[in-house]
Amino acid sequence: MLTTVVNDTSEETFSALADPYRREIMAHCYRMLGSVHDAEDLVQETYLRAWRAYERFEGRSSLRTWLHRIATTACLTALESRGRRPLPTGLGGPTPDPEGELVERSEVPWLEPVPDSVVGADGSDPGTVVVARESVRLAFVAALQHLPPRQRAVLVLRDVLRFRAAEVAEALDTSTAAVNSLLQRARAEIGNVMPSEDEVTEPDERERRELLDRYVAAFENYDVAAMVELFSSEAVWEMPPFLTWTRGAENIGRLIAAQCPAQGPGDQLLIPTTANGQPAFGLYMRDENGEHQAFHLQVLTVTREGVSHVAAFFDTRLFPTFGLPMTAPVVPRR
C-alpha cells in the first residue's frame, strides 16, 4: 500500500498505482447501487475525480482507502436521487397461482447481476485485488438494498472492506460513535433479510458440476419433471421485471410449464457464465426462423439439497455485459 507522499503526479504514474484497484472499486459501487451499468458510470466518475485531485494527495492514507472514500461519496450523491433496486421477493409474497397471468413492472429499477470478471470475483488476474465471492452474492447485494444509503456504506466499508471505524468516519464526515451506531442498525437489518449460512452451503465441485450438467439437460430437453427434481423443496424462482415469483419445486415446475414459450426439446439453449460469484446461464429461445435468440439470464444458488434459488433476469441488455451473443451460435443437436 502507498503510505508516503506522492511526488510523481503524471497520468501514467496515477494509472499504474490506481488501476489495480479498479475492479475492487467496481465491486464497491455495485454493492452500493445494485446496478452494473450505474456502477460502471460511478467508477469512471471516481477515477476522474481522483485524477483531478491526485496532485493534492498527500499519502496520509493508502491510495486504496482514498479511492474508496471518493467512490463512497460519489455513490451516496447518486443515491440521493435514486430508490433502492429490489428483487421481486423483496416486494411481496409468492404467487398462489403459478399458472395465472404474470404481473410485469418494467418501470421498477430492478437489481441487476454483475459478471464475476468485472468485479474480480473470478480470481483470473493475480495482479489485481481479489474480491471475495460472498461479498457480491446476489442475496447479499439484494439485502443491502434494504438499508438506507449511509447504513449501506458503513456496513460495506466496515464488514466487507474491513476499514477501521475512524477511517469510515472520515470518509462520511461524521463521528466514530455515529459510525458504530449505523453499523449496529445495519447488521440487525441484514440479519433479518439474509438467508442463514446453512441455506447456502454448497456441494463439492464434482457434485456441483453434475447438478449443473443435469440442469442444462433438463432445460434444453424441456423436461419439466427433470427440472423439478433438481430444485430444493423450498426453492424460489423469480424473474424481474415480473412481480410474480413462486416458492417450492412443484410450483416452479407449474410456473415453467404454464408460462415458458418453449414447446419441446431443442427450443432452449443454455450458455454458461458466472455472476455474483454464482453459476449463471444465458438462456436462448428458438424463434420462428430456427435461431436461438437471447431470452433471459439466470443466476443460480446451488446447495447440497439442489438449486435453491433462480433469478431469471428478463433484460437482454445484460447479455453484452456478460460477453454473451444476442443470437446463440449454431450447435449440433444433442
Side-chain angles (χ1 to χ4, degrees):
M1 291 187 179
L2 182 65
T3 57
T4 58
V5 176
V6 177
N7 295 316
D8 185 349
T9 58
S10 68
E11 185 173 359
E12 292 78 9
T13 298
F14 170 76
S15 295
L17 293 171
D19 280 354
Y21 300 106
R22 186 175 290 271
R23 291 203 285 183
E24 185 183 3
I25 297 298
M26 176 67 188
H28 180 54
C29 293
Y30 171 70
R31 296 186 198 97
M32 289 291 295
L33 300 170
S35 164
V36 61
H37 298 108
D38 288 353
E40 287 172 342
D41 291 342
L42 266 293
V43 170
Q44 294 301 320
E45 183 175 340
T46 295
Y47 273 74
L48 181 59
R49 290 186 186 185
W51 164 240
R52 288 173 174 170
Y54 183 53
E55 65 180 12
R56 300 191 299 277
F57 175 61
E58 299 177 349
R60 289 180 295 179
S61 64
S62 70
L63 185 64
R64 173 178 178 263
T65 300
W66 185 64
L67 289 170
H68 275 288
R69 186 183 308 153
I70 295 171
T72 301
T73 300
C75 288
L76 289 174
T77 300
L79 287 169
E80 290 175 359
S81 58
R82 308 179 198 188
R84 72 183 182 96
R85 286 182 170 269
L87 286 173
T89 45
L91 296 179
T95 178
D97 181 15
E99 291 90 358
E101 183 178 358
L102 298 178
V103 180
E104 184 175 359
R105 289 290 182 268
S106 296
E107 74 279 6
V108 174
W110 296 102
L111 182 69
E112 296 174 352
V114 65
D116 283 3
S117 58
V118 169
V119 293
D122 57 352
S124 61
D125 186 354
T128 63
V129 176
V130 175
V131 173
R133 291 190 305 149
E134 293 75 13
S135 73
V136 290
R137 282 191 178 277
L138 204 59
F140 179 63
V141 179
L144 287 175
Q145 297 298 304
H146 288 268
L147 303 178
R150 286 175 70 83
Q151 284 189 29
R152 198 181 308 173
V154 168
L155 185 77
V156 171
L157 291 171
R158 289 285 284 122
D159 285 359
V160 176
L161 298 172
R162 303 298 181 185
F163 281 20
R164 301 192 310 273
E167 292 176 313
V168 178
E170 184 178 358
L172 300 182
D173 192 23
T174 189
S175 67
T176 300
V179 165
N180 291 334
S181 177
L182 287 167
L183 180 62
Q184 184 177 18
R185 296 200 298 272
R187 285 173 173 169
E189 179 61 24
I190 286 289
N192 290 332
V193 297
M194 274 285 290
S196 68
E197 287 188 14
D198 290 342
E199 293 175 335
V200 294
T201 303
E202 294 187 351
D204 62 37
E205 184 57 32
R206 182 189 61 79
E207 294 172 330
R208 177 178 176 272
R209 184 69 267 161
E210 180 181 285
L211 178 63
L212 294 177
D213 287 344
R214 291 170 58 202
Y215 186 89
V216 170
F219 272 84
E220 293 189 345
N221 291 324
Y222 196 55
D223 186 341
V224 176
M227 295 178 200
V228 170
E229 291 181 359
L230 297 172
F231 289 103
S232 61
S233 60
E234 292 298 308
V236 166
W237 179 284
E238 55 185 330
M239 44 189 186
F242 299 101
L243 283 177
T244 306
W245 66 276
T246 193
R247 183 189 301 278
E250 293 294 335
N251 285 333
I252 292 173
R254 290 169 58 196
L255 179 75
I256 293 173
Q259 310 294 352
C260 180
Q263 299 297 312
D267 284 351
Q268 299 179 113
L269 177 68
L270 274 65
I271 295 181
T273 183
T274 54
N276 298 80
Q278 301 168 232
F281 296 97
L283 187 144
Y284 296 78
M285 193 69 65
R286 185 158 56 187
D287 64 15
E288 64 276 7
N289 298 318
E291 295 184 325
H292 286 89
Q293 304 294 341
F295 189 63
H296 67 232
L297 183 82
Q298 296 185 8
V299 182
L300 281 62
T301 302
V302 177
T303 70
R304 289 175 179 169
E305 287 71 42
V307 178
S308 66
H309 185 273
V310 174
F313 295 88
F314 281 79
D315 182 357
T316 55
R317 295 173 302 172
L318 291 167
F319 277 62
T321 302
F322 281 80
L324 295 170
M326 298 303 292
T327 301
V330 177
V331 296
R333 180 180 290 274
R334 292 173 185 248

